[in-house]
Amino acid sequence: MRWFWVFLSVGSMWVLMALGPLTLLVPFVCVFLIVNALQSKRSRPLLAVGLSPMVVLFVSGIMSWFSARPSFQFFGLPTPEAYNLEPETRCYASSSGCLVDGGEMIRQGPHNLGLTLMCAAFGWPPKTYHGFYPSQEQANKLTEDMVAIPLKDFEEGLLRLPAGQIEVGEHQAHRMLLDANTLPGDGTSNGNISVRAQVFEGDCLAIRVTNDNPDMATDLFYLFDRTTRRAFARYQYGSRSSNPPFFAGNMDEVFTD
């Protein structure tokens, strides 16, 4: 196979990745190139396979294991807890959306396979949270041990707990209040807002923000890695909003202004 055909094969596969159901042709192109390499005893077709989308995406899944946000990819409408860290794998998940064109298996499968193999071979990703992780039911029961936080303090980003004061930052506190359908400093709705917080097992910071306003009823339970101060989960109780949590777009965001 000449270099022209190598480049054409690689380019064609990447173009097919953007053409919905035609993405399913990419594996057949790879098989053709492998057969050609065996028959011609040349390495150029294998180079084209190595540059194919399936191999590149597989490698991206392997490399994702080393990142702060290793994520399994899926498609469809996310559930309220879809962006939470998975307790079993300690990986996240990311959705391509609810618009499906038929090529998702090829675009997402190799990445997920690479990440799955890394988790199976080496365990939890090194940069994600490895500490105490209560289930949604356990988190609800833990509320009984949580300390009520004055709303004014919370709006300033402060958590005054028996173990000491934790500064979470105004910006992050405001984002949690916005998730709970209230504006920071809004005297009208603030009377219906309650905030509770506690540190569990030394490494899990929990904050529960509840809006009792009948028109905007929201009950949210956040879990954070106390060491890195990254949010890794949010549970919703009662009213089920489909809005992603404030930390869904940037897992590197921390509790600082």
Side-chain angles (χ1 to χ4, degrees):
M1 177 178 284
R2 297 183 178 181
W3 285 111
F4 171 78
W5 294 108
V6 171
F7 294 133
L8 181 62
S9 299
V10 173
S12 298
M13 286 188 286
W14 282 101
V15 170
L16 288 172
M17 293 293 287
L19 298 180
L22 294 181
T23 302
L24 298 175
L25 296 176
V26 172
F28 294 98
V29 177
C30 290
V31 170
F32 169 78
L33 291 170
I34 293 173
V35 171
N36 184 275
L38 294 175
Q39 292 178 341
S40 63
K41 297 182 180 180
R42 294 183 178 179
S43 60
R44 290 177 184 176
L46 294 179
L47 175 62
V49 174
L51 297 174
S52 68
M54 296 187 69
V55 173
V56 172
L57 292 173
F58 175 76
V59 173
S60 77
I62 292 176
M63 299 306 298
S64 175
W65 187 84
F66 296 95
S67 71
R69 186 193 168 94
S71 301
F72 289 104
Q73 300 175 353
F74 69 99
F75 58 89
L77 184 65
T79 62
E81 281 76 39
Y83 296 98
N84 292 354
L85 186 72
E86 294 182 0
E88 297 80 13
T89 64
R90 298 301 169 107
C91 295
Y92 295 97
S94 62
S95 174
S96 60
C98 53
L99 296 178
V100 180
D101 60 21
E104 287 75 18
M105 180 177 65
I106 303 301
R107 287 194 292 269
Q108 298 177 352
H111 174 93
N112 292 342
L113 177 60
L115 182 54
T116 298
L117 292 177
M118 289 296 291
C119 290
F122 302 105
W124 290 345
K127 294 184 179 180
T128 58
Y129 176 72
H130 291 186
F132 175 63
Y133 192 161
S135 67
Q136 188 161 355
E137 293 74 18
Q138 290 173 327
N140 194 34
K141 294 179 181 179
L142 289 173
T143 302
E144 300 173 359
D145 300 324
M146 298 177 75
V147 178
I149 305 297
L151 186 59
K152 184 178 182 299
D153 287 351
F154 184 68
E155 288 183 339
E156 295 175 354
L158 299 177
L159 303 176
R160 302 185 190 277
L161 303 175
Q165 177 176 296
I166 299 177
E167 184 172 353
V168 300
E170 281 189 15
H171 176 66
Q172 302 302 332
H174 290 182
R175 294 285 293 274
M176 283 184 274
L177 290 173
L178 290 173
D179 267 1
N181 298 317
T182 188
L183 295 175
D186 183 354
T188 302
S189 62
N190 278 353
N192 299 288
I193 300 296
S194 64
V195 180
R196 287 161 287 181
Q198 190 61 283
V199 175
F200 298 106
E201 301 291 334
D203 51 16
C204 179
L205 172 63
I207 301 176
R208 188 163 189 168
V209 182
T210 305
N211 185 342
D212 293 330
N213 189 319
D215 297 328
M216 298 178 291
T218 312
D219 192 5
L220 304 173
F221 196 112
Y222 297 90
L223 298 175
F224 302 91
D225 182 341
R226 187 186 182 187
T227 302
T228 64
R229 294 190 292 176
R230 292 193 182 102
F232 64 86
R234 184 194 70 179
Y235 297 135
Q236 295 190 23
Y237 301 92
S239 178
R240 308 289 287 185
S241 170
S242 60
N243 295 329
F246 74 87
F247 58 82
N250 182 10
M251 303 305 285
D252 293 327
E253 193 167 4
V254 298
F255 275 159
T256 55
D257 290 326

